[in-house]
Each structure stands twice: as C-alpha cells, then as structure tokens.
C-alpha cells in the first residue's frame, strides 16, 4: 500500500469522526509514507514524530492515530505532528500554533 492508498482508506474511517488530513499535501504524504515505513519496520504504525521503542505495548499510545490526537485536535485544531486536523484548521479559521507534547516524559 502506498501513501495515497493509505490516505484514501483512512479518510473513510476518520473524516466521519471529524478528523481530516492536513491540506498541505506534501506534508501529509510524507507523514503517511513515514507511517508505512514504521509499519514495515515495527509491525505497527508508530507516530513518525516520536521515538518508538520497538515494543508494541510500550508504544500503544503512539500508534497512529495516537491516544493524544483527540485532545490535541480539540485544543489546538491539529494533532502533534500535524497529520490530523479539524475542518476549521484546514479552512484557516483558527490559528496554527505549536502543539505541545502530551506524552508523559517517562514514556519517551
């Protein structure tokens, strides 16, 4: 599966829930390619913006979509890595600001 195919598959799952891909297509495709790479490397799609421990259970909270996506998108309009965003974020109706890391330091 390539990045565009993954995007099409995930769109069907996440858009009805109010999560959209970043309208920056280059960034989105690069992140999706990194997820595919991590799936091949680790056996699961670990967030490409965080360091995986190569242990599915230890990384469970950062398997995309990560545990933190909902709060990030609710609070900032975007997830930590900027792959998933709200409709308002994509439309430019809210400021695009840095999303702080929510993952506890002991898990990093």
């Amino acid at each position: 599966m390539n990045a565009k195919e993954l995007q099409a598959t995930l769109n069907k799952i996440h858009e009805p829930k109010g999560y959209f891909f970043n309208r920056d297509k280059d960034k989105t495709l690069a992140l999706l390619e990194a997820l595919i790479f991590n799936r091949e490397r680790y056996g699961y799609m670990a967030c490409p913006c965080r360091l995986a421990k190569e242990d599915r259970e230890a990384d469970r909270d950062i398997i995309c979509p990560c545990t933190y996506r909902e709060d990030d998108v609710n609070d900032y309009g975007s997830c930590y890595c900027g792959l998933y965003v709200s409709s308002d974020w994509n439309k430019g109706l809210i400021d695009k600001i840095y999303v702080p890391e929510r993952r506890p330091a002991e898990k990093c």
Side-chain angles (χ1 to χ4, degrees), residues 83-99:
L83 178 62
Y84 287 104
V85 300
S86 68
S87 176
D88 285 348
W89 192 95
N90 260 345
K91 292 176 185 173
L93 299 176
I94 58 176
D95 292 333
K96 293 172 175 67
I97 60 173
Y98 174 77
V99 177

Side-chain angles (χ1 to χ4, degrees), residues 21-70:
F21 284 115
N22 189 322
R23 70 177 179 190
D24 180 337
K25 301 224 181 283
D26 291 336
K27 179 176 185 158
T28 296
L29 289 176
L31 288 167
L32 290 169
E33 287 169 4
L35 285 172
I36 292 167
F37 178 81
N38 282 348
R39 183 178 59 204
E40 292 168 0
R41 181 189 214 185
Y42 306 127
Y44 52 92
M45 293 194 306
C47 176
C49 300
R50 296 178 167 106
L51 293 175
K53 295 185 176 182
E54 301 183 43
D55 175 333
R56 185 181 195 93
E57 190 56 40
D59 291 336
R60 185 163 300 284
D61 63 322
I62 61 167
I63 295 174
C64 189
C66 73
T67 301
Y68 314 103
R69 178 187 70 171
E70 183 176 351

